[in-house]
Amino acid sequence: MSGLSLVLLTVLMVASGQMTQTLYVPAMGDMAAALGVTSQALPLVMAFYLIPYGLFQFVYGPLSDRFGRRPVLLAGLSVYVLGSALILAWPSYIVLLLGSFIQGAGTAAAGSLCRSLMRDKFEGTDLVRYNGYVSMGIMLAPLLAPLIGGWLNLRFGWQSMYLFLFAMGLAITLVMVFFFRETLPAARRHAQPMLPAYRYVLHDAGFRRQLGMLIATFAGVILYEAVFSVLVAAQSGLSSAEISVLFILPLPLYFAGAMMASWKAGSWSVRRLQWLAGAGLLAGAVIVLGTAFDPRLAVAGLVLGGSLYFAGAGLLFPVATSRAVAPFPQHSGTAGALLGGSSNLGGGLFLLVQGGLPQMNQLVLGGLLLACAGLVVWFLLPGSEAVPEPGI
């Protein structure tokens, strides 16, 4: 497969997972009413999706290093389709949580392998560049998902969103069956047991630092996505379709951040790119927090602050991912699983902790985003480790 073909297939295989994460966000209020639960219960759906999405990546990654990428990917996508079918068959809140868990367990294969496939084919500056392309492509799904979800919910009800996910998951599985070719030749596979493989990767201090930055950044992104519609609905009274438009406004800035990572990979150092990303994260968090004190600026502050935070995340994700997996050509599945699994598991657990807070408002959201951005800067502060310049 050519580099462009691999990027397109990688974006496609991750699309179902990205859609699942944000499709229903504008419809949370309507879903809560239809299912007979409070609006505060709906972020748990995302948590029940993200926790297995993170946990099962720890399994899929090493398995793909041993048996190849293709069989692991096809098995995971099939499990995702099963979870979507379950939600359609028995529409209730409990089954929604269970089906979301199964969906996350299945699409974790794509989430893990999207990092490994690029490492299978590219190295150095090309690895950063193509990871940037993948990040840009992946953002098309969450950019479209809220608009599609808001429209489907208004026209046909919340179950139609899961019918859409079922059909899309089935279609993607079939495309992968016919068009995806193995990227890890048998000669490059290894049968190292799972725990020693993880110890080998985690022994690298640079990997641990990149992992910490990715976990902290993703926790802020997923928290913003989970509570945005609830906060905007409470402060503005907008419909789900109108909220979906506001929800996607920060996403093009993520796209711009990933684009900058691709364009500047050959001329800027990793450290310079990551400090710029950290500045974007901090600025976004401060704006969300600062505008929480004035109701007239609250919604605008949520959108503008979220946009800057997403720009920082879009820049950080491909750079940190490339820097983390670069030293591990024989363990890229394991390294990718650690990156994706830890980030998504951490994000899911973060949502569970947030659900236990007495209240969630813009002030709390801004404070938590600031904490996440501060952690990224903290991981960037050590200067003793040599970071190749430019690129990886």
Side-chain angles (χ1 to χ4, degrees), residues 50-255:
L50 284 175
I51 289 173
Y53 184 67
L55 281 175
F56 279 84
Q57 289 190 43
F58 295 123
V59 178
Y60 290 127
L63 285 179
S64 73
D65 283 338
R66 176 177 293 193
F67 299 110
R69 314 301 189 203
R70 179 181 162 85
V72 171
L73 174 62
L74 295 179
L77 289 174
S78 300
V79 172
Y80 172 84
V81 173
L82 176 63
S84 302
L86 182 65
I87 295 172
L88 285 174
W90 292 281
S92 69
Y93 181 68
I94 297 300
V95 175
L96 178 60
L97 294 179
L98 176 61
S100 297
F101 188 96
I102 296 173
Q103 284 179 320
T107 197
S112 173
L113 298 186
C114 71
R115 298 165 178 85
S116 309
L117 299 182
M118 294 300 107
R119 185 61 185 89
D120 289 342
K121 193 170 182 67
F122 304 110
E123 295 182 355
T125 299
D126 285 339
L127 180 59
V128 179
R129 181 174 295 112
Y130 278 94
N131 269 328
Y133 294 154
V134 170
S135 292
M136 284 187 278
I138 285 175
M139 283 313 295
L140 292 176
L143 188 66
L144 297 174
L147 294 175
I148 296 172
W151 182 81
L152 287 173
N153 177 60
L154 285 176
R155 293 294 300 272
F156 306 108
W158 72 270
Q159 288 173 265
S160 65
M161 295 186 292
Y162 285 90
L163 178 60
F164 173 83
L165 291 175
F166 170 79
M168 183 180 64
L170 186 60
I172 290 173
T173 303
L174 292 174
V175 169
M176 292 298 162
V177 167
F178 290 109
F179 296 102
F180 181 75
R181 300 291 177 263
E182 182 60 62
T183 61
L184 186 67
R188 289 173 52 194
R189 299 174 194 172
H190 68 89
Q192 185 176 15
M194 204 173 288
L195 289 180
Y198 278 123
R199 282 199 298 268
Y200 174 77
V201 173
L202 285 170
H203 183 72
D204 186 278
F207 178 89
R208 295 196 302 269
R209 190 194 302 180
Q210 304 303 316
L211 177 62
M213 287 189 281
L214 288 169
I215 292 174
T217 303
F218 184 76
V221 168
I222 205 64
L223 176 64
Y224 181 91
E225 290 180 344
V227 305
F228 177 85
S229 69
V230 175
L231 295 181
V232 172
Q235 296 174 131
S236 66
L238 297 174
S239 69
S240 63
E242 292 168 327
I243 291 174
S244 69
V245 174
L246 291 180
F247 179 80
I248 67 171
L249 289 180
L251 299 183
L253 272 293
Y254 181 103
F255 188 92

Side-chain angles (χ1 to χ4, degrees), residues 284-373:
V286 168
I287 289 175
V288 172
L289 182 62
T291 54
F293 296 97
D294 189 340
R296 297 170 300 176
L297 301 175
V299 174
L302 272 174
V303 174
L304 177 59
S307 297
L308 289 175
Y309 192 94
F310 273 56
L315 177 56
L316 181 74
F317 284 155
V319 176
T321 297
S322 301
R323 172 67 182 88
V325 302
F328 306 107
Q330 299 297 319
H331 294 76
S332 60
T334 302
L338 273 169
L339 295 175
S342 300
S343 297
N344 287 281
L345 178 60
L349 294 175
F350 193 52
L351 286 182
L352 286 180
V353 172
Q354 173 268 318
L357 295 176
Q359 63 175 336
M360 170 52 68
N361 53 38
Q362 187 168 334
L363 186 62
V364 176
L365 173 62
L368 292 174
L369 290 178
L370 189 59
C372 292

